[in-house]
Amino acid sequence: MKADDWIKAGLAALTSKGPQALKAEPLARALGTTKGSFYWHFKDVPDFHKRLLSTWEDEALAAITYALSEGDDPVKRLYQLGDMAASSDPKAKRGLPETAIRAWAYSESLAADYVQRVDQKRIAMLEEILSELDLTNPDFARIIYSSFVGMDALSATDATGNKNAMSTLMAAILALRDA
């Protein structure tokens, strides 16, 4: 059993059972191993939480960086972000438990710190693309990003696709540069 196995199990448990499942004993039961294996890899549960959130941060930023770095055309990159946000395919988001992490952040300051850092970096990436399109109002990046976050959360509860809604938002914002 590797530390990465514990992190993956923790992300799955967070998504399915919530943050109360992020403890050594329930994770060990789910993995069919002992708590000793957990403590071999992590100093304690807070250390595990920190490493789990760090893994999420790295993967969350890598996923959006990839979507925003494809090609030279900023319009295409913006639409790729929209497709990523609207996708119901977990592979498009690399299986990230975005909604679960955000829910945890409401009650856990450590998780809130990681979410805030990810949000700031993602919004900065969006602002950069929008500035390439001469759309420099920072509210545009915030609106797009809020849609990215909100559509993911909404789809988690209603299983409705967001491709048309996200495409409409991107088209409306891009229309402003031509106005």
Side-chain angles (χ1 to χ4, degrees), residues 27-104:
L27 288 171
R29 271 195 309 268
L31 289 169
T33 190
T34 65
K35 289 191 312 184
S37 173
F38 178 90
Y39 290 108
W40 176 258
H41 296 291
F42 309 100
K43 183 175 81 172
D44 52 23
V45 171
D47 178 48
F48 171 69
H49 289 176
K50 185 176 180 181
R51 289 179 54 193
L52 180 141
L53 286 163
S54 181
T55 298
W56 170 76
E57 178 182 30
D58 292 345
E59 291 180 7
L61 291 173
I64 201 165
T65 299
Y66 176 78
L68 296 180
S69 65
E70 283 293 295
D72 294 330
D73 182 4
V75 172
K76 184 177 178 185
R77 290 186 313 209
L78 202 56
Y79 274 104
Q80 284 174 314
L81 172 66
D83 287 347
M84 179 184 170
S87 177
S88 59
D89 178 5
K91 290 179 186 171
K93 295 175 187 159
R94 299 191 180 186
L96 297 175
E98 185 91 20
T99 303
I101 295 280
R102 289 180 178 285
W104 186 26

Side-chain angles (χ1 to χ4, degrees), residues 102-171:
R102 289 180 178 285
W104 186 26
Y106 283 113
S107 62
E108 171 58 49
S109 63
L110 180 65
D113 291 343
Y114 277 85
V115 167
Q116 181 181 22
R117 195 166 45 245
V118 165
D119 288 348
Q120 288 171 343
K121 289 176 183 177
R122 286 173 166 177
I123 289 170
M125 290 177 203
L126 266 169
E127 286 172 342
E128 185 177 319
I129 288 177
L130 291 169
S131 71
E132 290 177 45
L133 296 166
D134 295 323
L135 294 167
T136 56
N137 183 332
D139 291 338
F140 291 145
R142 189 166 179 82
I143 290 166
I144 292 169
Y145 187 63
S146 296
S147 296
F148 176 86
V149 171
M151 285 183 185
D152 189 54
L154 188 59
S155 289
T157 60
D158 73 3
T160 300
N162 297 306
K163 188 165 180 71
N164 290 340
M166 199 64 171
S167 182
T168 299
L169 174 62
M170 296 303 185

